[in-house]
Amino acid sequence: MDFAFDARTEELRARLLAFMDEYVYPAEAVAEEQRAALASPWDTPAVVEELKTEARRQGLWNLFLPDAEYGAGLTNLQYAPLAEITGRSPHLAPVALNCAAPDTGNMEVLAQFGDERHRKQWLEPLLAGEIRSAFAMTEPEVASSDATNVTTLIEREGDEYVITGRKWYISGAMNPDCRIFIVMGKTDADGPDIRRQQSMVLVPRDTPGVTVRRAMRVFGYEDHSHGGHAEVVFDHARVPVSHLIGEEGGGFAIAQARLGPGRIHHCMRLIGMAERAIELMCRRAVSRTAFGKALAQQGVVHNWIADARVTVEQLRLLVLKTAWLMDTAGNKGAHTEIQAIKIATPRAVVGILDRAIQLHGAGGFSQDLPLAELYAAARTLMIADGPDEVHQRSLARRELKKYL
């Protein structure tokens, strides 16, 4: 990356790049070995805790939070190149820096919308990396790309809310350190405004009536590093009314506020994933011979590498523009650009990873290289945080309004 960022960002970039080389990349194989020896694959390998301790010691901690009271106080534009670097090892680096989803979005929600009790009980241990969390919105029985469709009920009975519903692909819920769910459901299912029917409540994982039923796989992967993607059942689970986040009917608005930063964080890390794929492609091309000459001398390989480089540079510019707009015009002011990067980045990075896999032959989809797992993660992001088609629909409508 040849951009000149401000002095603080450049200093953090240098420290983070050194941290990746010295600690994160060597820990990738160690984490897999340790996980295989654990009593449960969902337990956290010791090396991950060692990475967290070292990252915190070096001041590479909670970099994602723009509020200096809770995090590093970086703008989106300052955080963008740092998140990109962590994307080169997306299953270790974000966790090591306490910058991993879904905790990042949950911490943002608690910091912005939670009350003092919520922040004391849940935000503080999350900021310290002592616990993990999950965000429970997606449901198997409805099109969750439309958040107004959620059917989980949050019904008030006296001083309690009773939560009934079934969620799935709830990231992080399999991790035994996951202690709290932010659950989105309907407190006013028959209300006239479909965007005011939903609310969010805090539900401790050990609440009676909460069952983490199973881990959902993603292209065969269980994603142990992020705590899996679980199916969770809420069977008349009861929490105090004080566990409401914000106000009744505010769930849809909170979800939109949460997803904006989440989408750009994903796109930042995706660029890092693409950079690692390009590096692996180049190393493979100069070290492998086929049909009498190095792969680096094959014209088709030249095309793949050149196209990947051009694509990454284009994506990075768009993501940086989006980060700058979020800082200067707010999330609403950057709405079009957020949708644009959400459409363009996963799709393009999937293509780059596909070529990298092709160049590595059978090894490309083996466990010996990170490419197959990176591919699964990137392909998932064409659906997660809103499918491409939903963002295309909304973006097209905004464009058409200019001519109506």
Side-chain angles (χ1 to χ4, degrees), residues 61-87:
W61 191 256
N62 291 337
L63 299 175
F64 71 98
L65 269 170
D67 190 335
E69 181 181 355
Y70 302 114
L74 300 176
T75 65
N76 286 293
L77 188 58
Q78 290 175 311
Y79 180 56
L82 307 178
E84 176 184 324
I85 293 168
T86 66

Side-chain angles (χ1 to χ4, degrees), residues 313-324:
E313 298 303 322
Q314 291 172 326
L315 292 173
R316 182 180 289 119
L317 284 172
L318 184 54
V319 169
L320 290 175
K321 177 192 175 185
T322 304
W324 172 76

Side-chain angles (χ1 to χ4, degrees), residues 359-386:
L359 190 60
H360 284 81
F365 44 76
S366 75
Q367 69 270 38
D368 293 343
L369 292 166
L371 292 170
E373 197 165 8
L374 292 177
Y375 180 94
R379 180 61 183 84
T380 301
L381 289 172
M382 293 173 68
I383 294 176
D385 289 348

Side-chain angles (χ1 to χ4, degrees), residues 104-231:
T104 48
N106 292 341
M107 285 188 269
E108 288 167 339
V109 166
L110 290 168
Q112 187 174 354
F113 301 101
D115 62 28
E116 194 57 40
R117 291 168 298 178
H118 301 157
R119 289 192 285 269
K120 183 69 176 176
Q121 187 172 5
W122 303 114
L123 178 58
E124 289 185 9
L126 281 168
L127 289 169
E130 297 169 354
I131 66 171
R132 302 295 302 272
S133 62
F135 182 69
M137 186 176 80
T138 304
E139 299 180 2
E141 303 299 334
V142 297
S144 297
S145 54
D146 178 357
T148 65
N149 278 341
V150 295
T151 60
T152 294
L153 295 178
I154 302 174
E155 300 172 295
R156 182 162 182 168
E157 291 185 4
D159 293 331
E160 293 183 318
Y161 283 119
V162 182
I163 301 100
T164 305
R166 177 175 165 232
K167 305 284 188 177
W168 74 343
Y169 282 94
I170 306 309
S171 300
M174 297 300 298
N175 190 318
D177 293 327
C178 176
R179 305 293 171 79
I180 188 69
F181 293 95
I182 294 180
V183 181
M184 183 162 171
K186 289 188 175 178
T187 46
D188 186 14
D190 299 319
D193 185 347
I194 61 172
R195 287 179 173 79
R196 293 286 302 172
Q197 296 175 349
Q198 306 82 14
S199 300
M200 289 191 188
V201 293
L202 289 157
V203 182
R205 181 179 177 167
D206 60 1
T207 300
V210 176
T211 302
V212 179
R213 181 172 287 178
R214 58 173 174 158
M216 304 301 302
R217 294 180 180 176
V218 179
F219 290 104
Y221 290 101
E222 289 186 322
D223 197 1
H224 298 123
S225 58
H226 282 170
H229 309 282
E231 178 184 359

Side-chain angles (χ1 to χ4, degrees), residues 275-326:
E275 285 286 11
R276 188 157 191 196
I278 292 172
E279 177 186 327
L280 290 169
M281 288 172 73
C282 291
R283 292 185 184 280
R284 173 76 167 187
V286 299
S287 64
R288 195 76 162 186
T289 299
F291 303 104
K293 58 182 179 180
L295 292 178
Q297 295 177 294
Q298 305 285 354
V300 67
V301 175
H302 292 171
N303 293 343
W304 290 351
I305 293 172
D307 288 346
R309 173 51 56 203
V310 170
T311 298
V312 164
E313 298 303 322
Q314 291 172 326
L315 292 173
R316 182 180 289 119
L317 284 172
L318 184 54
V319 169
L320 290 175
K321 177 192 175 185
T322 304
W324 172 76
L325 274 173
M326 290 173 71

Side-chain angles (χ1 to χ4, degrees), residues 42-55:
W42 304 109
D43 291 338
T44 302
V47 71
V48 175
E49 294 301 328
E50 293 168 9
L51 288 173
K52 290 167 66 175
T53 299
E54 182 61 27

